[in-house]
Amino acid sequence: DVKVTQSSRYLVKRTGEKVFLECVQDMDHENMFWYRQDPGLGLRLIYFSYDVKMKEKGDIPEGYSVSREKKERFSLILESASTNQTSMYLCATQLGVRYGYTFGSGTRLTVV
Amino acid sequence: EDKVVQSPLSLVVHEGDTVTLNCSYEVTNFRSLLWYKQEKKAPTFLFMLTSSGIEKKSGRLSSILDKKELSSILNITATQTGDSAIYLCAVEAEGGSEKLVFGKGTKLTVNP
C-alpha cells in the first residue's frame, strides 16, 4: 500500500510565522496535491504538482506556495501565517488520472 | 470494506443533452458525500452533501443524496463541451481524513 506521511498531526503557530507542511510518499506517484478541509466547505485544492519542479495553482492558492524538489516530497509553505489559515491540511497522491487518491492523515494547523 | 461505486464508467453525449451520473456507497459511519470534477490533472470540488443538506444546485449542475438508498446522482443539464471531464464521487466517514473514499469516476465526453 502507498503510504503518504505528513510530518505533523497537530501544529500551533503564531500569526506572521513562516510555516512548512511536509508531505512524503513512498511510491512513484506522479501527482501530489495539497488540500485544506473546512467544515461545510469540503476539500478545496490549494496547489498540485504532476512532476518534479512542476506546480500549478488550485482553487485557493492565495497565501500559500509549494515546493517539489524531489518526486516523493511535496511541501506546502505559508509565507506569513494568518488566523484564517487555521484548518486541516491534507496531502494526497495519485498514480495518474482515474486512479484513486491516497491521502495523508492530515495536519491540523491552528494559527493564533 | 468501505467502497464507492460510480456508474457509468464512461459516457459520450452531444451538446445540449442532459446527463445523470450515479454514485453508490457502502461506508461505516457516513458523514458526507462529495462530487469533484477532474480535468487534466487535479479534481476541483463541486458539491458536498450531508444529512442536513441532501440537495445542492449550481447553475446547470445539481446533485441529490439518497441516504436510504446509499446513493447520489449528479445531473448536468444542457451539456457543453467544457463539461467534458472525469466526475469523481467521494464519501467521507466519521473518523477523519483517512476515511475519504473515492470512486473511480465517470468519464464524460460532450461532443459538439
Side-chain angles (χ1 to χ4, degrees):
Chain A
D1 282 354
V2 177
K3 189 170 182 181
V4 180
T5 303
Q6 292 184 232
S7 53
S8 304
R9 197 67 194 266
Y10 298 96
L11 271 180
V12 180
K13 296 291 182 180
R14 293 193 182 279
T15 300
E17 277 190 71
K18 190 168 185 175
V19 181
F20 292 86
L21 302 183
E22 304 289 344
C23 177
V24 178
Q25 55 149 324
D26 65 356
M27 285 290 287
D28 211 33
H29 281 195
E30 301 290 337
N31 302 337
M32 296 187 76
F33 311 93
W34 274 106
Y35 290 89
R36 62 178 283 177
Q37 187 174 33
D38 302 284
L41 296 176
L43 283 175
R44 292 180 293 166
L45 181 64
I46 305 171
Y47 267 96
F48 65 100
S49 168
Y50 49 88
D51 203 352
V52 176
K53 296 190 187 295
M54 300 298 291
K55 59 185 179 184
E56 288 195 19
K57 294 179 180 179
D59 300 321
I60 51 164
E62 295 81 13
Y64 303 94
S65 62
V66 291
S67 172
R68 193 166 182 198
E69 296 296 317
K70 294 183 179 180
K71 194 172 188 177
E72 66 270 20
R73 185 181 295 269
F74 191 36
S75 304
L76 180 69
I77 304 157
L78 286 67
E79 296 292 341
S80 178
S82 62
T83 55
N84 64 12
Q85 292 178 310
T86 291
S87 186
M88 170 71 85
Y89 288 87
L90 295 162
C91 173
T93 72
Q94 187 190 35
L95 178 60
V97 175
R98 293 216 66 171
Y99 286 81
Y101 282 71
T102 301
F103 279 84
S105 54
T107 296
R108 186 164 290 284
L109 173 67
T110 303
V111 182
V112 298
Chain B
E1 183 184 342
D2 297 339
K3 66 178 181 179
V4 176
V5 178
Q6 292 185 245
S7 64
L9 290 181
S10 65
L11 189 57
V12 181
V13 300
H14 291 289
E15 268 191 317
D17 287 355
T18 293
V19 298
T20 299
L21 310 183
N22 301 285
C23 175
S24 63
Y25 61 90
E26 294 177 22
V27 63
T28 306
N29 298 323
F30 171 88
R31 180 160 68 185
S32 63
L33 184 145
L34 303 94
W35 283 98
Y36 291 82
K37 178 181 181 182
Q38 185 165 19
E39 297 171 284
K40 296 181 183 179
K41 297 293 183 181
T44 53
F45 175 69
L46 293 175
F47 299 116
M48 184 170 75
L49 302 160
T50 66
S51 300
S52 58
I54 61 172
E55 187 169 357
K56 293 284 177 74
K57 183 177 171 60
S58 177
R60 296 178 294 103
L61 276 67
S62 62
S63 183
I64 298 172
L65 175 68
D66 187 335
K67 284 202 72 179
K68 184 178 178 182
E69 296 296 326
L70 305 183
S71 65
S72 175
I73 59 170
L74 175 68
N75 279 325
I76 308 174
T77 60
T79 52
Q80 303 169 356
T81 55
D83 295 328
S84 296
I86 293 171
Y87 289 85
L88 294 165
C89 173
V91 174
E92 190 176 32
E94 297 289 347
S97 59
E98 65 272 19
K99 299 290 284 183
L100 188 66
V101 181
F102 277 84
K104 293 200 176 296
T106 294
K107 184 178 181 180
L108 175 65
T109 303
V110 181
N111 290 324

